[in-house]
Amino acid sequence: MAGIGVTHERLRNSFAFIFISFIFNHMVEYSSKVLDRTFGALADPTRRRILAQLTKGDGCVTDLARPYAMSLAGVSKHLIVLEKAGLVKRRRDGRVHSLRLEAKPMQEAQARINRYREFWEGNLDQFERYLDKLQEKENKHDNDK
């Protein structure tokens, strides 16, 4: 009977591991897709300028399109990319489409950038300490001569 309990426990642990791995992988995949869309949307200078306009407040499509030498349809395509990335939200009032800036995707992108920055700064600090130790050893060796 003890063998059955061990097998049952092992099976339950295996299932838990697989379940947790599935959830974690799904979260990473979801996070990567969202991040890819965010950075893809931010890669274009026109879309970045549109977002900068929206930092001053909500705007309708025609107002957002005014500074650009492109058709309203061209600006609308940029707005669709920003919407799919979750960077703007559209509200319709009859024929007028108003857009509002959404900060969450940019906050998530900034958090990712901060994690990489902390990682690299930590590694560079360690590398600097290592080089300092090498320099001290070299200086000590030169002084011993």
Side-chain angles (χ1 to χ4, degrees):
M1 206 49 133
I4 293 173
V6 171
T7 304
H8 180 66
E9 183 70 26
R10 187 177 298 155
L11 182 62
R12 187 172 31 185
N13 289 340
S14 296
F15 177 75
F17 175 77
I18 291 168
F19 183 70
I20 290 169
S21 296
F22 172 77
I23 290 173
F24 179 74
N25 288 336
H26 179 71
M27 288 170 45
V28 169
E29 184 178 310
Y30 172 77
S31 177
S32 294
K33 286 180 183 177
V34 170
L35 201 60
D36 289 348
R37 280 192 296 245
T38 300
F39 283 123
L42 294 172
D44 185 83
T46 301
R47 292 192 284 267
R48 290 193 304 269
R49 286 193 299 269
I50 290 170
L51 291 173
Q53 286 175 260
L54 289 172
T55 62
K56 298 171 186 154
D58 296 1
C60 67
V61 175
T62 53
D63 290 341
L64 293 170
R66 194 168 289 126
Y68 305 102
M70 69 175 74
S71 67
L72 200 56
V75 172
S76 289
K77 287 180 181 180
H78 284 292
L79 294 172
I80 289 168
V81 171
L82 292 170
E83 279 183 280
K84 286 182 179 180
L87 294 166
V88 297
K89 292 287 182 194
R90 185 183 300 252
R91 187 181 72 247
R92 293 183 179 101
D93 187 19
R95 292 176 55 171
V96 177
H97 294 226
S98 294
L99 291 115
R100 170 175 51 93
L101 186 65
E102 284 292 317
K104 187 177 180 191
M106 285 189 275
Q107 291 167 340
E108 291 171 358
Q110 184 63 49
R112 175 70 64 98
I113 290 168
N114 286 340
R115 284 193 298 274
Y116 281 114
R117 181 184 49 78
E118 290 168 4
F119 170 78
W120 282 110
E121 285 176 354
N123 282 338
L124 290 174
D125 289 344
Q126 287 178 337
F127 185 62
E128 184 178 16
R129 286 191 295 274
Y130 173 74
L131 290 176
D132 288 343
K133 285 180 183 179
L134 285 178
Q135 187 67 42
E136 286 175 18
K137 286 180 181 179
E138 188 175 305
N139 290 341
K140 186 177 178 181
H141 179 71
D142 289 345
N143 289 338
D144 288 343
K145 285 183 178 180

